[in-house]
Amino acid sequence: SAISEDVDLVATIPAGVRVAEFFIGDRHAWRFDIQDGAITVHELPDAGRVRQLARQLHEAWRSPGRRTDDRFWPSRQLAEVAFASLGDSRPPEVLQIVPDGVLHVVPMAVIANHVWSQINPGAVFVVPSLNALYLESQETATPPRQTIAVIADPVFSLTDPRVHLPITTVGNLKIAERGAATRTGLRQLAMRRLPAAAAEARGIVDLAGSSSGVLPLIGFDASRSRIESASLEEFRVIHFATHAIADSQDPALAMLALSRFGAAGNPI
């Protein structure tokens, strides 16, 4: 959605809300701090250092078996670099973070807590842009009528035991999978079923209660077509339990992995 050119986005940010917007260039990086109608520009020490720490953190948190210190050392280091000069400032009532580049692949809301350990839980948000904040403030949506939609445990592979296929060779399965992967991206070829996703989904559904306001889309139902027909805007909570892929070069290519095959082995 477009906005009028005469809208002062900075002036639309409510009192008590602080925005930290990042720009990560090839050699330089900046953070734009916006609060109470004023903008302060801070040049970060080293754009290359920011990218290095973000990638280290991303790898540490996605790798099993790493020690706690190995996981949190890069997040503390990244916090010191990304939020330099803010450590002694008063925690904001609400902090909105607009990441850029490789910062899209790390949990910026968690990193901010290294800077303001006393910030209220749930007061830190990651948003795509100032435009998005403005457009959201202009919406007059009615409250969602439904409770929760749970999208979980998609079917990624023809070798998944939930797929019913006639007896065939493993070689044919691999050929078929390679063909499907060329259409949906080579990164999906390496995806494996998440063993706890189904149990997680069942636990959430049981906790929410089996009412008309709960929608479980599990297994084959965790597909794009089922999601698009489910009117998710009517639900207060939308919970995904699946793989996700972030793209540090083009954040618009970030994706959630959904079912790639139907019950008969037909590619989706």
Side-chain angles (χ1 to χ4, degrees), residues 211-258:
S211 68
S212 58
V214 179
L215 175 66
L217 297 177
I218 302 172
F220 297 112
D221 286 332
S223 67
R224 178 170 176 166
S225 62
R226 289 286 284 115
I227 289 172
E228 288 178 339
S229 64
S231 300
L232 293 187
E233 68 275 7
E234 297 182 1
F235 290 87
R236 291 183 58 208
V237 178
I238 305 169
H239 181 92
F240 285 89
T242 182
H243 290 290
I245 293 176
D247 193 309
S248 62
Q249 299 303 313
D250 187 352
L253 296 180
M255 57 168 281
L256 291 166
L258 303 173

Side-chain angles (χ1 to χ4, degrees), residues 109-124:
V110 176
I111 292 168
N113 279 276
H114 287 303
V115 181
W116 292 292
S117 59
Q118 302 303 316
I119 198 166
N120 293 328
V124 183

Side-chain angles (χ1 to χ4, degrees), residues 23-174:
F23 177 80
I24 311 298
D26 292 335
R27 293 189 300 173
H28 299 279
W30 291 270
R31 188 189 70 246
F32 301 88
D33 295 329
I34 307 170
Q35 189 172 29
D36 298 329
I39 303 177
T40 307
V41 182
H42 296 275
E43 183 170 5
L44 304 185
D46 184 348
R49 178 64 171 160
V50 173
R51 287 193 293 271
Q52 178 189 32
L53 288 170
R55 293 192 180 102
Q56 286 179 351
L57 176 60
H58 179 63
E59 290 299 321
W61 282 31
R62 70 193 295 268
S63 302
R66 300 289 288 269
R67 296 184 309 165
T68 301
D69 287 346
D70 292 339
R71 291 177 182 272
F72 283 95
W73 179 86
S75 68
R76 287 191 291 267
Q77 294 292 309
L78 182 59
E80 291 178 5
V81 174
F83 293 100
S85 77
L86 292 179
D88 296 329
S89 63
R90 180 180 177 183
E93 296 177 25
V94 175
L95 175 65
Q96 304 273 16
I97 301 173
V98 184
D100 183 49
V102 72
L103 296 183
H104 281 280
V105 305
V106 294
M108 292 299 294
V110 176
I111 292 168
N113 279 276
H114 287 303
V115 181
W116 292 292
S117 59
Q118 302 303 316
I119 198 166
N120 293 328
V124 183
F125 302 88
V126 175
V127 294
S129 65
L130 291 181
N131 287 5
L133 283 175
Y134 171 75
L135 293 171
E136 184 180 62
S137 69
Q138 302 306 299
E139 291 181 354
T140 56
T142 56
R145 296 177 299 171
Q146 310 296 335
T147 304
I148 184 169
V150 181
I151 299 96
D153 197 19
V155 179
F156 303 124
S157 170
L158 283 171
T159 57
D160 191 302
R162 293 171 291 180
V163 177
H164 301 293
L165 288 175
I167 297 176
T168 185
T169 64
V170 174
N172 286 339
L173 288 175
K174 291 181 178 179

Side-chain angles (χ1 to χ4, degrees), residues 189-224:
L189 186 60
M191 288 184 183
R192 296 292 179 263
R193 184 180 182 184
L194 296 172
E200 176 181 315
R202 288 193 296 270
I204 292 172
V205 171
D206 290 344
L207 191 64
S210 56
S211 68
S212 58
V214 179
L215 175 66
L217 297 177
I218 302 172
F220 297 112
D221 286 332
S223 67
R224 178 170 176 166

